[in-house]
Amino acid sequence: MSDKHQSESDNRWFELLALQEHEEADQEGAPSRLKARVYSALLKKQEASGPLRTLAETRTNGYGLCFFEDLWEQVTSAEGAQSYNCCSVCHARVLAERLERPPIYWAHCPYVAFGKK
Amino acid sequence: MDQGQPEICEIEERAATGQERSDRELVAEVLRKDRKATAEFVARCADSVYGYVRHRLIPRTDLVDDLVQEIFLAAWENLDRFRGDSPLRNWLLGIARHKVEDHYRKRLRELPLEDEEERLENSPSDVPDLEETLAKRQAGQWTREILSSLPETYSVILLWRYWEKRSLREIAVQTGRTEKAIERLLARARQQFKKRWNERQASK
């Protein structure tokens, strides 16, 4: 077999192999701890460029708040507190960034949602 | 605490009732820095990005988490450019492709390409038959295992050429190498890959 022919035949074989393997890539889910880590990094980045949307606005927007956020909304009155990322001081975040499907069961906690398939 | 709320997250709730926000709506909320929308953004796109990156970074799977995070942060920086012409996942995969190619470029620039020990041999000229001998799933698994076992330059060049479908010229330009050097590297990589594949097939 000539080098050129060999190379073309190799190319076709590898292209087919890549195609088959590529189809499997979409079937894998990201680990929940990675989603948690990415989410935390995004919120940190968002906060760095100004305040987050307030908890009240988030609620109005149709999203539920978790127990801790709910409590935070009720007890804090200082300016800026409503935009604070209270997840940054929550144990759920710490667990979720380190454990796959952590033992957290609060409704409306994004870190819990990441563990659900 | 709102005891009346069902024990189900918003994302699932909306999906179950068919009220999932469109990609454009979601992006608008994320741009307003809505924390829950940001969570939905991650939940909606992370699986696709992770699957893609994980398969493209073989054998450096230790870098996958960092790169996935980098992709999402880059997406946030550029989110105002999302027009909704294509699904959000695809838009993010576009960013992922750039990041993966940055990784390939960096590795092929850093690592030595010539391996004196591994000259081209008169190797098996016939390519193994994919269709007849293996189920798709097994072919995928063998592919990943063999790519993981090869020297990193070989995995990178194979993935870049066949998975990312870049020409030898494009790779040469991006890495600052000659086209001939890239061609030789690719030939050696193919040879080693086929050799390992045939060894597996023989012992099957």
Side-chain angles (χ1 to χ4, degrees):
Chain A
M1 191 186 283
S2 72
D3 283 353
K4 189 168 185 291
H5 189 133
Q6 165 81 55
S7 176
E8 283 170 5
S9 152
D10 275 359
N11 281 340
R12 278 198 298 276
W13 189 74
F14 276 97
E15 281 159 10
L16 180 62
L17 202 63
L19 195 67
Q20 287 196 0
E21 208 271 339
H22 184 69
E23 289 171 7
E24 289 180 34
D26 279 345
Q27 295 163 16
E28 286 179 44
S32 68
R33 52 164 186 75
L34 176 59
K35 290 180 189 173
R37 193 183 130 180
V38 168
Y39 175 61
S40 302
L42 276 173
L43 285 196
K44 200 171 172 184
K45 189 93 176 170
Q46 290 177 346
E47 267 194 313
S49 61
L52 300 180
R53 200 177 222 188
T54 65
L55 291 168
E57 286 168 335
T58 290
R59 191 201 295 277
T60 306
N61 197 29
Y63 289 108
L65 303 182
C66 81
F67 165 76
F68 184 45
E69 289 166 330
D70 209 33
L71 189 66
W72 186 274
E73 190 189 15
Q74 290 174 39
V75 301
T76 56
S77 55
E79 195 179 342
Q82 294 294 312
S83 295
Y84 179 64
N85 172 25
C86 42
C87 291
S88 65
V89 293
C90 179
H91 77 286
R93 177 192 60 77
V94 179
L95 286 174
E97 287 176 9
R98 286 161 180 77
L99 300 175
E100 197 56 25
R101 309 224 184 155
I104 329 163
Y105 306 100
W106 288 354
H108 308 298
C109 167
Y111 293 100
V112 174
F114 293 143
K116 291 183 179 171
K117 291 288 175 192
Chain B
M1 181 181 186
D2 190 350
Q3 298 292 347
Q5 295 284 353
E7 290 289 316
I8 184 170
C9 72
E10 272 70 36
I11 302 159
E12 290 173 333
E13 204 171 60
R14 286 175 203 286
T17 56
Q19 292 175 342
E20 193 170 308
R21 286 163 210 262
S22 71
D23 284 345
R24 287 181 70 168
E25 287 168 339
L26 181 65
V27 165
E29 306 287 350
V30 176
L31 285 169
R32 288 185 201 112
K33 299 186 190 173
D34 187 300
R35 61 197 87 192
K36 302 290 176 162
T38 303
E40 193 174 337
F41 169 55
V42 173
R44 196 177 285 191
C45 302
D47 289 344
S48 304
V49 172
Y50 174 79
Y52 170 77
V53 171
R54 188 162 179 269
H55 283 240
R56 291 299 191 280
L57 250 54
I58 296 172
R60 297 302 307 273
T61 46
D62 56 312
L63 302 176
V64 172
D65 287 8
D66 285 344
L67 195 61
V68 169
Q69 180 170 318
E70 208 179 296
I71 290 161
F72 272 91
L73 293 179
W76 160 249
E77 299 279 359
N78 295 285
L79 205 55
D80 55 349
R81 295 187 200 164
F82 176 74
R83 296 280 169 264
D85 305 328
S86 62
L88 185 57
R89 281 189 196 94
N90 294 359
W91 183 78
L92 225 72
L93 284 173
I95 296 174
R97 264 180 213 110
H98 284 295
K99 293 285 182 190
V100 163
E101 289 203 274
D102 283 346
H103 167 78
Y104 291 163
R105 187 181 308 116
K106 189 164 168 253
R107 298 309 285 158
L108 285 193
R109 279 172 185 258
E110 286 171 356
L111 296 166
L113 297 194
E114 297 296 335
D115 186 345
E116 292 304 317
E117 298 295 311
E118 199 136 38
R119 295 200 175 280
L120 274 175
E121 305 155 8
N122 289 325
S123 76
S125 52
D126 292 335
V127 288
D129 190 335
L130 272 182
E131 296 291 343
E132 286 182 12
T133 54
L134 287 174
K136 268 188 178 181
R137 182 159 291 279
Q138 195 178 1
Q141 190 185 334
W142 279 21
T143 303
R144 286 188 293 279
E145 286 171 3
I146 294 172
L147 284 172
S148 298
S149 71
L150 290 174
E152 195 182 345
T153 47
Y154 289 180
S155 307
V156 167
I157 193 69
L158 289 170
L159 288 165
W160 207 353
R161 173 70 184 86
Y162 297 111
W163 273 253
E164 291 303 324
K165 300 180 175 61
R166 292 298 184 189
S167 69
L168 295 176
R169 182 183 295 273
E170 285 173 309
I171 296 172
V173 168
Q174 295 218 34
T175 54
R177 311 276 188 172
T178 64
E179 203 172 324
K180 201 73 195 162
I182 295 297
E183 194 179 354
R184 279 200 302 269
L185 176 69
L186 183 65
R188 289 199 303 276
R190 280 196 308 242
Q191 186 182 60
Q192 277 302 309
F193 187 101
K194 283 194 297 174
K195 190 177 166 191
R196 291 177 197 208
W197 186 282
N198 285 327
E199 283 168 1
R200 277 173 178 245
Q201 212 153 32
S203 64
K204 191 174 160 233

